[in-house]
Amino acid sequence: MTLHLHAGFPKTATTSIQRLFEKHNAALRAQGLCYPLIDGDFKQRYLKEFDHSQFQTADKQAALDKKMADLTHAIEAAGCDDAVLSCEELMSFTTALHRRPNLERLRDALRAIDPDIHLVIYVRNPVDFFLSIAQERVKRSGQLFDPAGFSPNFAAKIALFEEIFETRATVREMNREKLEGGDIVADFLKACGLDRIDISGWEPVSANESLPAEVLFVLEMSRQPLTAGAPVPNVPPKQAEFFWRRIRDLAQQHQIGTKPLLYRNIRDQVLESSAQDIEAMQTRYGITFASGKCAEADGPDETVPTLSKVERLMAVDREIAMGLWAAATQGLARQFLSERERRKAAAS
């Protein structure tokens, strides 16, 4: 058997692959491909726990051991020629530690299942990658990266995995124009040498859609402290998830849906800071990135006042953004008052 480890990177349509593999799990298994769903986790997030193993409590380690035992049993019970494990968090830009002992423990745990491990990794144009990561950061924490100091370090991270797993990775670029048939699943199966798998009739899924610049403006504004110099408010993940989805839905209701574009000078800063990585990807893996799409204009300089850091990265229609901000705050105020009245009525 061959164990195909799909190790990221994030923002390369990984979720689309994972959701379709979950949906068509039985059909895949009938064709000799096992995609194990341990406790229904189609993203196989438990694999990322190896990267934080030095912080594991006894209870967490026991839970991880149980997951791996269940994984081993599921793969053995399936009796397939191939198995796929897909966990983009192994290459998370913001949370992965990439410490050698951690990855060696992951390697050894997977080799205990089967020593034949094939690494499959997708990368993305650094400009598009920066924009996608920036959106995720604004959605979750309101923080932004400095484009002049940004580099995805694709080549170095891939090289570390190759060294530890003692194999050469199959590296592909997530670019619709370069994918097999323009389809990420077909391309992934080809990268794994699994062309025999019939996916005809599968309807594609779309995940992690891009948010308009005006939505990002509102989300970043909502995280600004009330007084200058105060720390950025810490918002629990569930509240952050609720809020960004609410703003996105409001934007859709008002037909605000233009995809954001980085200013030209911001695009150039990302390309410059990523130059060494771009060269390494071309030299080692033959992947040549395009310059990346951008707005025709440069962004404002530091002398121009802005309300949000987002306005320094991409063009924002401030009138639309402020209207969206007003609609969001009014809606939340109405919801708060309605909930207060409901509680009063329930208490009386």
Side-chain angles (χ1 to χ4, degrees):
M1 185 192 78
T2 299
L3 189 60
H4 306 273
L5 177 60
H6 179 205
F9 282 78
K11 318 311 298 179
T12 57
T14 306
T15 302
S16 297
I17 297 172
Q18 293 166 336
R19 283 182 173 171
L20 282 169
F21 276 22
E22 177 192 32
K23 180 179 180 180
H24 300 282
N25 199 260
L28 290 173
R29 191 162 53 249
Q31 296 184 69
L33 176 59
C34 174
Y35 187 69
L37 300 171
I38 308 304
D39 296 334
D41 185 0
F42 72 97
K43 283 181 168 288
Q44 298 168 348
R45 296 178 182 91
Y46 50 90
L47 294 177
K48 72 178 180 181
E49 296 303 321
F50 282 94
D51 195 33
H52 297 265
S53 55
Q54 73 269 32
F55 304 121
Q56 295 282 25
T57 63
D59 288 344
K60 287 186 177 181
Q61 185 60 53
L64 180 56
D65 292 342
K66 174 67 164 52
K67 293 277 191 182
M68 295 307 294
D70 291 344
L71 175 65
T72 302
H73 175 74
I75 291 176
E76 290 177 348
C80 294
D81 294 331
D82 296 271
V84 167
L85 299 177
S86 178
C87 180
E88 68 181 359
E89 278 93 344
L90 291 172
M91 289 287 192
S92 171
F93 189 80
T94 55
T95 62
L97 301 177
H98 295 138
R99 292 180 176 169
R100 183 177 297 274
N102 297 348
L103 297 179
E104 288 174 346
R105 279 188 282 267
L106 172 63
R107 176 203 63 198
D108 294 343
L110 296 182
R111 281 180 175 176
I113 298 174
D114 195 286
D116 185 9
I117 299 175
H118 172 213
L119 290 175
V120 183
I121 297 171
Y122 278 79
V123 296
R124 193 173 179 186
N125 182 297
V127 173
D128 297 333
F129 189 69
F130 172 83
L131 182 56
S132 290
I133 293 293
Q135 289 186 68
E136 286 300 310
R137 293 274 287 185
V138 173
K139 284 160 58 177
R140 310 299 176 186
S141 67
Q143 302 299 298
L144 285 167
F145 289 108
D146 176 11
F150 178 88
S151 176
N153 291 318
F154 291 140
K157 294 174 184 178
I158 296 169
L160 177 61
F161 269 73
E162 290 179 326
E163 180 182 347
I164 289 174
F165 280 84
E166 300 176 306
T167 187
R168 182 68 178 258
T170 297
V171 183
R172 297 282 296 158
E173 181 185 355
M174 172 49 208
N175 180 330
R176 298 291 178 190
E177 297 178 359
K178 298 181 181 180
L179 297 179
E180 179 74 12
D183 180 77
I184 184 62
V185 176
D187 194 87
F188 175 75
L189 290 172
K190 182 176 181 180
C192 293
L194 297 171
D195 306 64
R196 70 176 189 275
I197 303 298
D198 181 13
I199 61 171
S200 58
W202 286 24
E203 291 293 330
V205 298
S206 178
N208 299 321
E209 72 275 14
S210 181
L211 297 178
E214 291 72 26
V215 170
L216 298 174
F217 172 96
V218 172
L219 295 178
E220 201 275 328
M221 279 275 292
S222 71
R223 297 298 185 90
Q224 293 185 17
L226 294 176
T227 57
V232 175
N234 183 26
V235 180
K238 287 186 178 180
Q239 292 182 19
E241 181 88 8
F242 167 80
F243 190 63
W244 78 256
R245 290 186 181 278
R246 184 177 183 86
I247 306 303
R248 178 204 60 186
D249 293 345
L250 274 173
Q252 291 176 347
Q253 291 171 21
H254 292 278
Q255 298 182 329
I256 303 169
T258 304
K259 289 186 177 182
L261 284 175
L262 296 178
Y263 283 122
R264 181 175 52 200
N265 61 319
I266 301 300
R267 186 275 312 269
D268 292 344
Q269 288 178 34
V270 173
L271 289 175
E272 184 177 353
S273 61
S274 303
Q276 186 174 350
D277 193 33
I278 291 171
E279 182 180 358
M281 289 301 299
Q282 181 175 6
T283 300
R284 183 165 176 80
Y285 303 106
I287 292 178
T288 302
F289 295 115
S291 296
K293 296 180 181 178
C294 68
E296 295 182 0
D298 287 344
D301 60 36
E302 294 297 326
T303 64
V304 178
T306 56
L307 295 177
S308 166
K309 295 176 183 176
V310 168
E311 289 182 293
R312 298 202 173 277
L313 297 180
M314 61 194 75
V316 175
D317 187 316
R318 190 180 287 184
E319 182 178 353
I320 291 177
M322 294 307 296
L324 194 58
W325 172 266
T329 52
Q330 289 169 8
L332 289 171
R334 286 194 295 268
Q335 182 177 337
F336 170 77
L337 293 173
S338 176
E339 179 64 17
R340 187 174 68 175
E341 292 302 315
R342 185 193 68 78
R343 290 182 179 180
K344 283 183 178 180
S348 63

